[in-house]
Amino acid sequence: MRFERTRRRRLAATLALLAPMLGLGLVIPAHANEVLIYSARHYGQEPAFEAFTKKTGIQIKMLSGSTGEMFERLKAEGERTPADVLLTVDAGNLWNAARAGLLSKLDSPELAANIPANLRDPENRWVGLTVRARTIMYNTTKVKPAELSTYEALGDPKWKGRICLRTSSYIYNQSLLATMIKRSGEPKTEEVVRGWVANQPILINSDTKILESIAAGQCDVGLTNHYYLARILAKDAAFPVLPFWANQQTTGTHVNVSGAGVTAHAKNRANAVKLLEYLSSPEAQQMFADVAFEYPANPQAGTNPIVAKWGKFKQDDSNVASAGEFQAAATRLADRAGLQIGASAT
Ligand SMILES: [Fe+2]
């Protein structure tokens, strides 16, 4: 009996020594009390993460970088990755991550209950956690809201020389056009973009700079994500720009998400799902959205007062996954139509 036990112990010790040589060392033991996030969402400190740790005792570790860097890292690490969660902005990026096999299925009734279906992957590999609207911004001293209506109507000749736009090289515009393609098809979307281009827009590769140009009178209207304006207004309440909710009588204003998925090879999968569930709860949603002046994805959560002041609006309710599905088509279309200066985005 004692001889058997000694033999077993010796065998275990030998296996432990051999494991790295056999490649068994690649199996990283799960650290029961942590979650490692690869994050491309950079809005400073996240109080929602601190609240999660306080509530559950689960520590959060984070590695930050651009979406491209995080993708490359996950791909290179394969099943050895220490990352449990991929957190990033734009449904187009989440869609690409899922398509590359970097995410695993989320089977969580809680996430399904907290987040509207159009803000989640139809195949359950990622979930939107905050909502951003990309809409028309206008100079309040030069434009009356009654002059505005839809994205399409920015092709009206009355806006000639008065528009600031981003190029097709940035994902935010690609996603807007991708949603249009999903709704109205390529020929119609191309007609819209050609209408904008015919108005000789000033092309600027930064949403914040577009807003500054509108305020400075360089152009009168533009298209940006809503939270860039909220950020400016938080510091300068007199900034002369307001959002106009586009397409209220038709398709609704284009919205996108920042969101997350659990990695395909997560070592702390249960904790990762628990974190996403917590981030979708009304309590965490408010904190998480507030950091970046975004809208919570969970309709039960409150909105930041600066953003709430702009009122409720009809959102385009098509699934945000179309941002990924039609991304390539949108980029080609915009390039064809001339919405391009060849510069890279910031
Ligand atoms: Fe952004």
Side-chain angles (χ1 to χ4, degrees):
M1 197 68 176
R2 208 169 54 196
F3 174 71
E4 258 306 300
R5 224 179 329 182
T6 315
R7 227 171 66 147
R8 245 182 293 156
R9 248 187 244 143
R10 263 193 212 139
L11 184 67
T14 314
L15 271 177
L17 277 174
L18 283 175
M21 286 180 253
L22 295 171
L24 301 174
L26 298 182
V27 181
I28 298 166
H31 301 284
N33 243 16
E34 67 179 48
V35 176
L36 176 62
I37 304 174
Y38 279 4
S39 172
R41 181 183 136 102
H42 313 282
Y43 299 123
Q45 253 206 323
E46 293 284 7
F49 292 169
E50 285 160 35
F52 173 75
T53 300
K54 222 176 202 177
K55 201 165 181 153
T56 61
I58 300 167
Q59 300 295 320
I60 292 185
K61 289 187 178 159
M62 192 147 72
L63 186 83
S64 296
S66 69
T67 300
E69 282 163 5
M70 296 296 103
F71 274 30
E72 287 316 311
R73 214 182 162 107
L74 277 172
K75 272 189 207 158
E77 289 169 344
E79 60 186 35
R80 287 171 302 148
T81 188
D84 302 302
V85 169
L86 174 69
L87 176 67
T88 187
V89 297
D90 205 291
N93 285 328
L94 291 162
W95 189 89
N96 282 329
R99 196 176 183 215
L102 302 177
L103 304 176
S104 58
K105 291 228 182 212
L106 291 162
D107 181 19
S108 163
E110 203 173 323
L111 284 173
N114 283 342
I115 306 295
N118 68 307
L119 305 177
R120 285 185 272 121
D121 176 28
E123 292 176 48
N124 272 330
R125 296 158 301 179
W126 48 265
V127 61
L129 292 168
T130 57
V131 174
R132 55 264 306 281
R134 190 161 189 79
T135 197
I136 301 170
M137 298 289 173
Y138 66 96
N139 182 312
T140 51
T141 65
K142 293 179 159 189
V143 178
K144 290 191 177 65
E147 296 173 75
L148 296 162
S149 58
T150 61
Y151 301 107
E152 292 84 343
L154 291 180
D156 188 294
K158 76 175 172 187
W159 299 112
K160 193 156 200 161
R162 299 172 68 192
I163 311 177
C164 280
L165 292 177
R166 263 182 111 142
T167 68
S168 58
S169 63
Y170 200 58
I171 194 160
Y172 292 167
N173 264 5
Q174 292 164 6
S175 295
L176 169 69
L177 297 179
T179 313
M180 275 192 198
I181 292 174
K182 167 94 177 176
R183 278 218 177 255
S184 340
E186 274 196 50
K188 227 166 172 200
T189 306
E190 184 159 347
E191 211 177 288
V192 174
V193 179
R194 286 196 185 277
W196 297 347
V197 172
N199 279 337
Q200 298 169 338
I202 301 172
L203 298 178
I204 298 173
N205 265 331
S206 148
D207 277 22
T208 302
K209 283 184 189 146
I210 289 178
L211 291 165
E212 287 166 355
S213 298
I214 296 171
Q218 209 185 343
C219 40
D220 296 341
V221 293
L223 292 175
T224 76
N225 282 3
H226 81 275
Y227 54 88
Y228 290 105
L229 178 61
R231 268 190 219 168
I232 297 174
L233 287 172
K235 291 186 196 137
D236 174 12
F239 193 76
V241 178
L242 275 177
F244 176 86
W245 299 125
N247 295 42
Q248 291 302 282
Q249 312 305 322
T250 59
T251 50
T253 301
H254 168 72
V255 292
N256 205 320
V257 293
S258 79
V262 173
T263 60
H265 303 287
K267 310 296 180 293
N268 300 297
R269 190 181 164 77
N271 287 351
V273 173
K274 210 182 270 183
L275 172 66
L276 298 195
E277 287 174 344
Y278 176 71
L279 290 176
S280 75
S281 71
E283 172 196 334
Q285 278 276 291
Q286 205 155 347
M287 285 185 258
F288 201 51
D290 256 20
V291 168
F293 297 102
E294 288 179 279
Y295 292 95
N298 183 335
Q300 308 298 320
T303 306
N304 181 279
I306 292 178
V307 175
K309 242 198 324 215
W310 299 334
K312 285 200 180 351
F313 62 98
K314 179 177 145 187
Q315 301 181 3
D316 184 333
D317 62 2
S318 52
N319 193 296
V320 290
S322 53
E325 252 173 275
F326 293 94
Q327 186 186 73
T331 312
R332 281 196 305 268
L333 182 154
D335 286 348
R336 250 187 347 255
L339 196 66
Q340 180 62 277
I341 49 174
S344 66
T346 55

